[in-house]
């Protein structure tokens, strides 16, 4: 039994690693092509700054959802059944989507003073950063919805389907850079990010069919959702502090020579390239497997997974 469990665990990790490696290679190709078109000029500085503003709430939502959704959904499904677990997941999906919509609206309205506060751009750079941020913010609600759906897929150990969200961004940005940037400039890349946000939801929907039933319910009094938010606090705080550090780096770089933000951004992506390949598959499979074992109070199983 233990050997079979170990073999399944390692096989799942290997498959997820292969998919993530392919996704990372596509992402590297995306960055190379984008760099070929825009280099380290003012346009790419504006794009990198706008993307960091767009991606900050994405990361905070991601840390909140992935850290808690998997174990709570697994426990709900095993103890209360499919109906109750789907109601919980549907409610969480709807509430997170509404929260994302509100944040996107606030960012859309107040992005100009925020950019002025954070980055030391001239008027041209300021206007371009504001424009690009607003374009990308249109896709925030789709991005957050895809995080919830991917977490549910991970909870059901449908790891390959959950990792497909890495491909739309690469393909959409590459198409935008090659096909539309000569005419529309860096704005084409921002629209590519928006298109990718929508496509991330689209590619996950087929994998949800047959086991997940969506309900248009909104229940602010759901105790399970309150528990989710309570448990997510430390993860969101940790991610928030980390991202504030990165934002300070970009803010300081914006006061240096043109292209400093772009160069730092390219360097950071190279660093995280290997980290994503090595750590994400292991932690994704491990977290879902340990959540399932913990829901069954199988402490020995949790220990075995940790040892593996």
């Amino acid at each position: 039994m233990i050997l079979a469990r170990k073999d399944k665990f390692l096989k799942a990790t290997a498959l997820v690693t292969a998919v993530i490696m392919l996704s990372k290679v596509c992402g590297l190709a995306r960055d190379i092509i984008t760099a070929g078109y825009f280099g380290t000029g003012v346009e790419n500085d504006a794009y990198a700054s706008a993307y960091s503003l767009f991606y900050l709430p994405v990361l905070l939502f991601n840390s909140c959802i992935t850290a808690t959704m998997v174990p709570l959904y697994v426990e709900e499904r095993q103890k209360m059944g499919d109906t109750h677990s789907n109601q919980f997941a549907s409610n969480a999906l709807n509430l997170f989507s509404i929260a994302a919509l509100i944040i996107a609206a606030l960012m859309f309205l107040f992005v100009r003073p925020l950019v002025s506060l954070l980055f030391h751009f001239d008027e041209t750079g300021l206007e371009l950063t504001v424009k690009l941020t607003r374009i990308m913010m249109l896709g925030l609600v789709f991005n957050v919805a895809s995080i919830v759906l991917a977490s549910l897929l991970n909870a059901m150990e449908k790891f390959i389907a959950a990792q497909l969200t890495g491909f739309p961004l690469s393909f959409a940005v590459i198409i935008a850079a090659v096909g539309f940037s000569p005419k529309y400039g860096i704005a084409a890349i921002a629209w590519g990010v928006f298109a990718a946000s929508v496509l991330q939801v689209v590619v996950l929907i087929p994998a949800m069919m047959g086991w997940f039933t969506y309900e248009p319910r909104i229940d602010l009094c759901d105790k399970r959702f309150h528990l989710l938010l309570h448990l997510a606090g430390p993860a969101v705080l940790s991610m928030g502090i980390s991202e504030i550090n990165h934002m300070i780096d970009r803010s300081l770089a914006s006061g240096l020579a043109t292209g400093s933000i772009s160069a730092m951004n390219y360097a950071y992506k190279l660093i995280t390239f290997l980290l994503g390949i090595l750590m994400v598959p292991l932690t994704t499979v491990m977290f879902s497997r340990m959540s399932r074992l913990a829901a069954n109070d199988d402490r020995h199983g949790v220990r075995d997974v940790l040892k593996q």
Side-chain angles (χ1 to χ4, degrees), residues 52-167:
S52 68
L53 289 174
F54 160 71
Y55 207 59
L56 177 59
V58 173
L59 287 173
L60 293 178
F61 273 110
N62 186 62
S63 62
C64 174
I65 295 167
T66 57
T68 54
M69 193 74 187
V70 172
L72 289 178
Y73 181 79
V74 168
E75 183 178 25
E76 189 73 14
R77 193 175 183 88
Q78 293 192 0
K79 293 183 177 180
M80 301 300 295
D82 296 355
T83 301
H84 286 83
S85 61
N86 287 338
Q87 289 175 349
F88 162 61
S90 296
N91 187 48
L93 173 62
N94 294 332
L95 289 176
F96 279 125
S97 297
I98 291 172
L101 196 60
I102 293 172
I103 291 175
L106 291 174
M107 290 289 288
F108 198 92
L109 291 173
F110 299 108
V111 65
R112 182 180 297 278
L114 187 60
V115 172
S116 299
L117 176 66
L118 292 174
F119 304 110
H120 309 288
F121 292 139
D122 59 19
E123 189 62 28
T124 301
L126 172 66
E127 289 293 334
L128 188 55
T129 305
V130 169
K131 176 183 177 181
L132 299 179
T133 304
R134 284 175 171 168
I135 292 172
M136 287 186 274
M137 276 296 167
L138 296 174
L140 181 62
V141 64
F142 296 100
N143 223 301
V144 170
S146 72
I147 294 171
V148 176
L149 297 182
S151 296
L152 295 177
L153 287 166
N154 283 330
M156 294 298 293
E157 298 194 2
K158 298 179 182 293
F159 302 115
I160 304 302
Q163 297 304 320
L164 295 178
T165 54
F167 293 98

Side-chain angles (χ1 to χ4, degrees), residues 188-201:
I189 308 300
W191 282 112
V193 173
F194 165 73
S197 299
V198 178
L199 290 173
Q200 284 175 347
V201 176

Side-chain angles (χ1 to χ4, degrees), residues 11 132 185 238:
K11 188 177 293 184
L132 299 179
S238 175

Side-chain angles (χ1 to χ4, degrees), residues 264-307:
M264 187 173 66
N265 195 50
Y266 292 138
Y268 183 71
K269 287 183 177 180
L270 285 174
I271 292 172
T272 56
F273 176 76
L274 283 177
L275 184 64
I277 292 176
L278 294 173
M279 292 303 298
V280 174
L282 184 63
T283 53
T284 298
V285 177
M286 184 177 176
F287 187 45
S288 298
R289 186 64 50 83
M290 291 174 74
S291 298
R292 188 174 296 277
L293 293 169
N296 291 325
D297 201 27
D298 186 355
R299 299 181 183 180
H300 293 294
V302 173
R303 184 188 61 192
D304 290 339
V305 171
L306 184 59
K307 285 182 179 180

Side-chain angles (χ1 to χ4, degrees), residues 52 113 213 218:
S52 68
T213 303
I218 297 175

